[in-house]
Amino acid sequence: LIDVLEGMLKPNPTERLTAADALLKLNPNYVRTPLLQKPIVVGRPKVFTYHRQNSLTNEHRRILVEYMFETTVSFNFTLNVYFCAVNLVDRYLSVKEATKENFQLIGCSSLLLASKIYETKSFTPENLVYASDYAFLLSHILDMEVEIFSTLGGQISLFSLESISCL
């Protein structure tokens, strides 16, 4: 697990593991069939870089990814939530420009969306506002959730390890 997390936090975008690659690395029982040589992942960015972002750097991403991991673990959610949320952040930021002020908001809203997909009891927006130390309002997280969803055209889920192994 630590190797996978270190791979996701590498500063060089060409060496960095995507959330989808990390999911596949964590499943030792995954068997590729001849028809499915490459795993199916919805909306995976080819390589994420922050060159489109004027105020964000790879260091900002590293800090956000660590924060999202700590939040996921502290609320006892599965790693599928975490990896999907990181994927949502990367995909959203590859299309839209963000500021330092709303970067954590994007991460929290992505956690909220991902938890609705992979958990029976999702994050509540109130819990995420609390986890952010009240850095934003409840209405902000709900508005950003809608913004992310609409920007990604409703394609917000990764195939989980369990669903891939069933193919």
Side-chain angles (χ1 to χ4, degrees):
L1 178 64
I2 292 177
D3 291 340
V4 171
L5 290 174
E6 286 175 352
M8 291 182 74
L9 297 174
K10 288 190 177 185
N12 184 348
T14 57
E15 296 175 1
R16 187 181 306 140
L17 277 180
T18 64
D21 291 337
L23 273 172
L24 294 173
K25 254 188 152 175
L26 288 174
N27 184 2
N29 298 323
Y30 178 70
V31 177
R32 293 178 188 230
T33 64
L35 296 175
L36 187 63
Q37 291 300 316
K38 197 161 187 164
I40 300 170
V41 179
V42 176
R44 177 179 164 209
K46 297 196 185 321
V47 174
F48 183 77
T49 61
Y50 277 88
H51 70 275
R52 294 182 189 163
Q53 302 294 329
N54 292 327
S55 62
L56 299 175
T57 65
N58 287 323
E59 181 64 15
H60 292 112
R61 181 185 185 275
R62 184 191 63 76
I63 292 167
L64 181 67
V65 166
E66 286 179 4
Y67 165 78
M68 291 169 67
F69 180 75
E70 290 170 5
T71 304
T72 303
V73 170
S74 69
F75 283 94
N76 295 319
F77 286 122
T78 63
L79 288 177
N80 282 347
V81 170
Y82 167 72
F83 291 125
C84 181
V86 171
N87 180 272
L88 291 174
V89 168
D90 287 348
R91 288 173 44 217
Y92 177 78
L93 292 176
S94 67
V95 177
K96 296 279 188 167
E97 189 170 333
T99 62
K100 292 177 190 175
E101 291 77 28
N102 71 351
F103 196 46
Q104 185 179 18
L105 175 61
I106 294 167
C108 286
S109 296
S110 296
L111 282 170
L112 180 61
L113 276 169
S115 70
K116 288 179 178 181
I117 295 168
Y118 289 107
E119 296 291 339
T120 55
K121 182 179 178 187
S122 68
F123 282 109
T124 63
E126 295 84 2
N127 287 343
L128 291 168
V129 170
Y130 172 78
S132 71
D133 200 23
Y134 301 95
F136 39 81
L137 301 175
L138 180 63
S139 61
H140 294 156
I141 197 167
L142 297 174
D143 291 343
M144 183 56 72
E145 178 186 24
V146 171
E147 170 69 19
I148 292 170
F149 186 82
S150 62
T151 299
L152 300 179
Q155 296 183 354
I156 57 173
S157 69
L158 288 170
F159 286 100
S160 68
L161 296 175
E162 292 81 17
S163 67
I164 291 174
S165 63
C166 292
L167 294 177

